[in-house]
Amino acid sequence: MRFIKWAFLITFWVLFGAFLHYTLPQYDVVRIVNTYEERQELNDWTRIFWSKPDDQSAQLINRDVQFIQGVRPSGRAIVYRNEDTGWSWPPYFKFDTANLYTDANDSISTRANPEWVAVTHYGWRNEFLSIFPNAVSIKPVAGPEDKPTNWFTIIFLVLLAAILWAIYVRWRRFRRARIEPMIESAEDSLYAAGDAIAERKGRFRRWLDSWKSK
């Protein structure tokens, strides 16, 4: 039973952490090298990783998606999709895909004369599943080491931890004040009932033994 409990708790917190990591904003400092548009098939389970900015998009099996290609300071490539989120989840309320595509094209630079930008995005990049993070904004930075501090995520996680801790403390107080006394009372009643049953069995056995002796 203890193993099942810990397996459930670990699975829950891993999934919750993955959800936060996918949804919360992140910053990448990159050099944009190209932009392009490509038709994507949306007819398998990976559809959950594409945006649904309106009701109509939920019915489409394919659509044209804009992409932004970048290179990190380490030289590793990274590709972002550029999709509106609209009013759907996650709540970035992004409606400026065309403007962001223009900013990305305006920020294209070469290795010889690099222009570094900070790309705010959410989501993951997975080459095997063809999953791309969604770019939310692009801002110029002074250099490859000038990565903005992710204050929103820091403050959000601190507040979330404080809320979860407050809930945990209140739950423990409620359990000690209300639940544990009820459990102890029920256990005492069960023990008392067990003792009474054992006493009756003992009396019955002694009565039978008294007849055997005769």
Side-chain angles (χ1 to χ4, degrees):
M1 192 66 181
R2 185 182 296 269
F3 173 78
I4 296 176
K5 174 184 175 182
W6 281 106
F8 173 79
L9 289 175
I10 292 173
T11 301
F12 172 80
W13 287 113
V14 167
L15 292 176
F16 184 66
F19 170 79
L20 291 179
H21 187 265
Y22 181 89
T23 305
L24 291 175
Q26 304 176 41
Y27 293 102
D28 291 338
V29 175
V30 301
R31 175 174 58 87
I32 296 178
V33 298
N34 189 33
T35 61
Y36 67 96
E37 190 169 327
E38 184 176 87
R39 182 160 290 269
Q40 296 292 315
E41 298 295 330
L42 309 174
N43 56 357
D44 60 8
W45 71 271
T46 59
R47 185 187 188 98
I48 62 175
F49 295 106
W50 299 91
S51 295
K52 297 179 182 178
D54 49 47
D55 294 335
Q56 182 181 4
S57 65
Q59 308 301 324
L60 299 175
I61 61 173
N62 58 63
R63 66 167 179 258
D64 291 331
V65 180
Q66 297 174 352
F67 292 91
I68 301 171
Q69 293 176 309
V71 177
R72 301 179 187 271
S74 62
R76 294 186 59 186
I78 179 67
V79 181
Y80 306 93
R81 57 189 168 96
N82 181 27
E83 294 187 287
D84 282 340
T85 61
W87 302 99
S88 62
W89 188 267
Y92 283 89
F93 310 112
K94 179 187 173 186
F95 299 94
D96 62 343
T97 292
N99 292 343
L100 188 64
Y101 197 63
T102 302
D103 292 339
N105 279 285
D106 188 51
S107 301
I108 292 176
S109 62
T110 63
R111 184 183 300 179
N113 188 23
E115 293 184 15
W116 299 99
V117 296
V119 179
T120 306
H121 68 87
Y122 71 89
W124 301 323
R125 176 71 176 110
N126 187 293
E127 291 82 358
F128 180 74
L129 299 176
S130 296
I131 299 173
F132 303 89
N134 190 14
V136 178
S137 67
I138 297 175
K139 294 182 179 180
V141 293
E145 305 299 329
D146 189 18
K147 186 175 182 179
T149 302
N150 197 342
W151 288 112
F152 178 87
T153 298
I154 294 173
I155 294 173
F156 178 86
L157 292 177
V158 170
L159 291 177
L160 179 63
I163 293 172
L164 293 177
W165 177 254
I167 294 174
Y168 174 74
V169 170
R170 281 161 177 74
W171 162 251
R172 291 203 57 170
R173 290 176 180 172
F174 175 79
R175 181 175 178 178
R176 289 176 179 174
R178 300 293 181 85
I179 299 178
E180 290 183 359
M182 293 176 60
I183 294 175
E184 292 176 358
S185 177
E187 289 178 348
D188 292 341
S189 298
L190 289 174
Y191 289 143
D195 292 340
I197 293 173
E199 178 64 22
R200 290 180 182 179
K201 287 183 177 180
R203 290 178 181 176
F204 182 71
R205 186 174 294 116
R206 288 194 296 270
W207 180 76
L208 289 177
D209 291 340
S210 65
W211 280 96
K212 289 179 183 179
S213 61
K214 294 179 181 180

